[in-house]
Amino acid sequence: MRTVAMNFPILQVPRFRIHALASSCFESFHSLSRTGGNNSSFRILGCSTHGLEGEHGNRRWSRRPITTKTEGRNKKTLTSKTSNLRQEISDGSIATSNKLNINKSEISEFQRTQCCDIKQNIGESRDLFGLVTVIVFDIETTGFSRVNDGIIEIALQDLQGGENSTFQTLVNPERYVPNTTVHGISTQMVSKPGVPRMKDLIPILMQFVKSRQKPNGPVLWIGHNARSFDVPFLINEFTRCSFEIPPDWLFMDTIPLARQVIKSRGLKLPQKVSLEALREYYQIPLIGSAHRAMSDVYTLSMIVQRLSFDLKLPVSGFIEKSFSASDLSNVKKKNNSG
DNA sequence: TGCCAGGCCCTCTTTAGGGCCTT
């Protein structure tokens, strides 16, 4: 089986060594290895207080492949729905579905599961890795304007791995796609029957994320330039479709992390921090076509691992650097009033 | 008529300007 890991110095050492390196400094995270294929591609080797293989200070840790079949994760109610959902995803499109019986009341119930202070709760938790669902995501759009342009493709990957850990679909923006040369996605492609509109997709997307979410834990969405581009786009699309971003969704932008790595190595900004530049910097091979959402997600997943390692940044550090949808809304209001 | 994204960061800086980054 071909493995991307072959090309990474960090991954050329035995896994237990990788884990030892990571765990020697921090509580958990960032040892994920690609196991091939488009689905279930990653396993994160977490550490916890239930140890088998090493120590972190006085704490024992274990190398524990985590799968989506974890007991107590809404398994009965969500697994079957997710399986149906996966079956409907083919050739880059999702059939709009009523089979999931998702309605707004269900979504509202989900939204009511609020965390008063998510960051604080996370910070107080010792088993961060077992609490946070880390999702790397990317979107393709018809342009840069969050007001005038629309999403035409979305892909995400739960870094926990396991079955159904990826989600990818084209989206019908109900308008002409002017920038086909950028991503290869044409008006014809997104206008095909079966390609969902955003308002059809959001409930399915939320159901997927909910199926991956750990009990009482937040979802951390990681994107490249997410603060300025992806997240505002998502917020606008949710608002336009009369949905709200769930309050237990947090977001993190990898660009500040990349800048931090550059500075930590004594390099001067502006060093390139584009996804392409970082891919080359870390010698990550391109999987699929650049500027297709899933391909960029695979690339960013590897970059996240490397940034995490270089910065010695565990999940708790990611949470500290995260922001919420309301944070962006507040900034916008503040700017408008000013 | 002309413009047309916007947030972040750096510097020849901070009551600013320009480049990067996303599609």
Side-chain angles (χ1 to χ4, degrees), chain A residues 29 134 220 222 251-252 257 304-305 307-308 313-323:
Chain A
F29 193 58
V134 181
L220 178 64
I222 299 178
F251 302 92
M252 195 193 73
L257 300 187
V304 166
Q305 175 204 7
L307 292 173
S308 170
L313 201 64
V315 167
S316 58
F318 279 17
I319 293 295
E320 286 174 6
K321 293 178 180 297
S322 68
F323 56 92

Side-chain angles (χ1 to χ4, degrees), chain A residues 73 128-135 158-160 209 212-215 217-221 250 315:
Chain A
R73 286 190 56 198
L128 296 176
F129 189 80
L131 194 59
V132 182
T133 301
V134 181
I135 287 179
D158 179 354
L159 292 190
Q160 185 175 239
V209 173
R212 306 295 304 185
Q213 195 166 5
K214 295 158 189 170
V219 179
L220 178 64
W221 293 68
L250 298 173
V315 167

